[in-house]
Amino acid sequence: MWITEAAAAAASAGGVKPAMFLRIAADPIIRAWSGVGDFRLSADTIETEDGAIYKGVGRLAEWPAFDVLFNGEAGRLSITMSGVDAALQDLAEDSAADIDQAACHLGVLFLDERDQPIAAPLWVVEGEMEDLETDRRAGLRTVTVTIGYGPLDRRRPLLGYWSPADQEARSPGDLFCSRTPLYAEGSEVTWPRW
């Protein structure tokens, strides 16, 4: 089971609120959670510092949908936090270049009716920072974080073309594509009839 029995029992009884925790391994480590005020989190497999303080960033505009990845797929998710104070938004703008491709962990923690944690957080996404955007409108400040997760370091082959040079690079001496420069886009090819 990927959640503890206590968390599962409390969730099925109702009155449980989920909270999202974001940990970015920059220098210094950036910690944020989807609530108000500071939240002290105990050490676990991801959070190495006991009593680490996660800053409240207000509410999430919407909870992101996580993709289950198979067969070497990679995923992206964007989290938009609204109600961010000006100091936190300035900090995000100043550190945007420093946290590019930093390791990220996204966790979910269940809180009871008194906003106390039921169990340790479930770190559901492990990835790296891809983008950070801020927006300032009258009365509303937002920060959007985009995280890439899955096998992001995989390589895709370059595009190949049906040209004599590309065919020669693939198979030296092969003349299969020797006539392709004679054809232009939109030209009609007359095929011989026997």
Side-chain angles (χ1 to χ4, degrees):
M1 181 178 247
W2 63 284
I3 64 173
T4 64
E5 290 182 24
S12 63
V16 175
K17 296 179 281 189
M20 188 173 292
F21 286 76
L22 176 64
R23 183 181 191 274
I24 303 171
D27 187 23
I29 295 173
I30 298 170
R31 297 175 174 98
W33 80 287
S34 63
V36 179
D38 293 345
F39 192 100
R40 290 189 183 276
L41 196 63
S42 300
D44 61 8
T45 57
I46 301 301
E47 181 51 67
T48 56
E49 183 181 324
D50 195 32
I53 297 175
Y54 282 71
K55 294 287 186 187
V57 294
R59 67 177 184 85
L60 294 177
E62 66 179 51
W63 278 75
F66 307 143
D67 293 329
V68 177
L69 306 178
F70 295 105
N71 298 329
E73 289 181 319
R76 308 247 171 329
L77 69 100
S78 293
I79 305 164
T80 301
M81 296 162 272
S82 63
V84 179
D85 66 6
L88 192 58
Q89 191 173 33
D90 290 340
L91 177 66
E93 290 172 353
D94 292 342
S95 63
D98 297 335
I99 63 175
D100 187 39
Q101 295 184 341
C104 292
H105 290 89
L106 189 68
V108 177
L109 181 74
F110 297 108
L111 304 173
D112 64 13
E113 63 276 352
R114 289 178 282 150
D115 290 337
Q116 298 302 309
I118 294 171
L122 306 169
W123 298 100
V124 292
V125 173
E126 178 180 352
E128 66 182 38
M129 279 292 298
E130 289 195 340
D131 194 19
L132 188 139
E133 297 175 9
T134 60
D135 188 17
R136 295 175 193 257
R137 294 184 189 160
L140 180 66
R141 289 182 294 272
T142 62
V143 175
T144 301
V145 175
T146 302
I147 300 171
Y149 61 102
L152 299 171
D153 60 345
R154 66 178 191 257
R155 301 284 182 249
R156 292 184 180 169
L158 296 174
L159 293 175
Y161 297 96
W162 295 99
S163 69
D166 284 334
Q167 186 63 22
E168 181 69 25
R170 282 189 292 267
S171 301
D174 187 357
L175 300 177
F176 178 76
C177 295
S178 62
R179 296 189 51 84
T180 56
L182 302 175
Y183 306 123
E185 185 177 342
S187 65
E188 189 172 317
V189 177
T190 307
W191 295 99
R193 294 181 185 194
W194 287 283

